[in-house]
Amino acid sequence: MDSNVADEITLTWQTENVSDEDFLYMRVHKNWFQPKQNITGLFKNHGDGMSTDWSYYSTPQETRNRVKQFGKNPEDFAVIKMLVANVKSIEGQTVTHTPDIPNNNRSHTDVFGEKDVEIRLKFSRIFDIVTQVEDPVE
Amino acid sequence: MPVTIEKAFANSNNVQSWFYQQKPDSWGLNTSISPKIYPKADFRNKEVGREKEVDVIHLPSSVKKIISDSRQLLELKDDWDGEGSLGYSEGTLNKAIKFLEENAKNYFRSSGLWVTAPEICPGPNGSIDLLWKLENRELLVNIPVDENSLADYYGDDLGINTIKGKLNLTEKHEWILMWLTK
């Protein structure tokens, strides 16, 4: 990719406002479900924020399949969804569209804010599993 | 199945025990029980002039199973989730189990009740979460990796009643289970 194309993509993928009625998708490795199906520990920041995909630009299957580019197997992952309004309702959490240009992920969205025990417990109440580990990879 | 509490004093022939009878599955249901307390006597070992206690409370099989199942966490080594998460050490897991066992037993001694068993689950950065989910209250306690660090806790009634703070794991904290079951 030459520099002109890269510049064009950067301009195209500007940060947008994430609507309250949309969803955020997150991959969950199958090991999170051992031995119990509780994933309070999943909700943590990697760097400044918690990485998710915005449903406006991604489907659950696309979120799941995106691990292929990192050399991982989609069959090892489930996908959860969280309503943006519910995420924003948790104290100190903000939802910011942060397109991931190097990894060609326009849907990438960060959830910023501290993830202490209170916040993690509250996150654990607002998700639904939309793609099970057992589901076939499309 | 009856839960038997035996309290005996070392070096004493005067071994006494008493028994609580409990509804089946009360651990899981967080229901009240009607303890039947049989006569007890003076347990102090006067011959040796000290009160060296051997206190054995048998946890319900349901919580034993949860503890046993939690050993699976030790199979999660570094990068077990493909996202670089740290694995879980035996030391951290043992701290979590000790916290659970001691406070559950102390709560039982105080109230005659077993509290609902928590889930023992992966926490962030090698820490371990204990999660109690009752009908009206939930409590999350995070057991840290560092031996000297305090445990973080947060609980609420899904409404306005909340507790939050840090726990020194070398101290007794059955009060937190009393809050949970209030």
Side-chain angles (χ1 to χ4, degrees), chain A residues 95-133:
Chain A
V95 176
T96 305
H97 180 218
T98 50
D100 182 358
I101 293 168
N103 292 308
N104 195 33
N105 181 5
R106 189 171 186 177
S107 69
H108 187 266
T109 299
D110 274 303
V111 180
F112 295 114
E114 185 184 4
K115 307 292 189 296
D116 64 8
V117 282
E118 174 182 358
I119 302 304
R120 292 194 293 111
L121 179 60
K122 291 179 175 176
F123 269 111
S124 75
R125 295 170 177 163
I126 63 167
F127 75 87
D128 293 307
I129 298 176
V130 287
T131 304
Q132 301 280 353
V133 173

Side-chain angles (χ1 to χ4, degrees), chain A residues 27 29 31-32 34-38 40-41 44 46 72 77 116-118 120-122 125, chain B residues 69 72 76 80-83 85 119 121-122 124 129 131 138 140 142 153-154 156 158 164:
Chain A
R27 284 186 301 275
H29 194 276
N31 282 340
W32 277 106
Q34 301 296 332
K36 284 284 186 179
Q37 292 208 355
N38 189 281
T40 47
K44 61 184 176 183
H46 294 271
K72 297 167 189 171
F77 292 84
D116 64 8
V117 282
E118 174 182 358
R120 292 194 293 111
L121 179 60
K122 291 179 175 176
R125 295 170 177 163
Chain B
D69 288 349
Q72 294 179 44
L76 302 179
W80 55 271
D81 63 348
E83 302 283 351
S85 286
E119 294 181 22
C121 27
D129 283 345
L131 175 64
E138 295 184 355
L140 179 62
N142 178 251
Y153 70 89
Y154 172 81
D156 65 32
L158 309 175
K164 186 174 185 177

Side-chain angles (χ1 to χ4, degrees), chain A residues 63-114:
Chain A
T63 293
R64 189 189 203 192
N65 290 337
R66 206 163 274 123
V67 295
K68 290 178 182 174
Q69 64 187 300
F70 305 115
K72 297 167 189 171
N73 185 354
E75 292 179 346
D76 290 339
F77 292 84
V79 178
I80 63 170
K81 71 173 182 181
M82 297 177 287
L83 184 67
V84 170
N86 289 339
V87 172
K88 290 179 178 176
S89 73
I90 299 175
E91 184 180 349
Q93 304 305 300
T94 58
V95 176
T96 305
H97 180 218
T98 50
D100 182 358
I101 293 168
N103 292 308
N104 195 33
N105 181 5
R106 189 171 186 177
S107 69
H108 187 266
T109 299
D110 274 303
V111 180
F112 295 114
E114 185 184 4

Side-chain angles (χ1 to χ4, degrees), chain B residues 6-154:
Chain B
E6 294 179 273
K7 250 187 176 180
F9 286 78
N11 305 319
S12 170
N13 293 325
N14 185 21
V15 176
Q16 294 286 335
S17 62
W18 68 96
F19 305 91
Y20 289 79
Q21 290 188 343
Q22 177 181 0
K23 291 178 184 175
D25 300 326
S26 69
W27 178 279
L29 298 173
N30 190 37
T31 54
S32 61
I33 62 173
S34 303
K36 292 186 177 179
I37 303 175
Y38 289 79
K40 58 183 180 178
D42 184 357
F43 300 112
R44 286 169 294 183
N45 184 346
K46 295 172 181 172
E47 291 181 5
V48 295
R50 58 197 171 93
E51 298 183 0
K52 184 177 180 182
E53 256 182 76
V54 177
D55 186 356
V56 179
I57 295 179
H58 299 285
L59 292 167
S61 57
S62 57
V63 76
K64 287 180 181 175
K65 183 176 188 311
I66 284 171
I67 290 172
S68 173
D69 288 349
S70 72
R71 309 301 294 183
Q72 294 179 44
L73 290 174
L74 301 179
E75 297 171 8
L76 302 179
K77 307 303 181 188
D78 288 353
D79 198 29
W80 55 271
D81 63 348
E83 302 283 351
S85 286
L86 295 177
Y88 298 91
S89 72
E90 189 146 14
T92 308
L93 179 59
N94 287 342
K95 272 196 301 181
I97 292 171
K98 184 180 178 186
F99 176 86
L100 168 60
E101 287 183 337
E102 289 187 351
N103 289 296
K105 288 177 180 178
N106 287 334
Y107 175 76
F108 186 86
R109 288 189 191 96
S110 300
S111 67
L113 304 173
W114 289 112
V115 70
T116 298
E119 294 181 22
I120 303 174
C121 27
N125 306 319
S127 66
I128 290 176
D129 283 345
L130 298 176
L131 175 64
W132 283 267
K133 293 176 83 79
L134 276 61
E135 186 177 351
N136 298 318
R137 293 195 176 198
E138 295 184 355
L139 172 66
L140 179 62
V141 178
N142 178 251
I143 307 297
V145 175
D146 183 8
E147 186 68 30
N148 299 316
S149 294
L150 303 175
D152 292 302
Y153 70 89
Y154 172 81

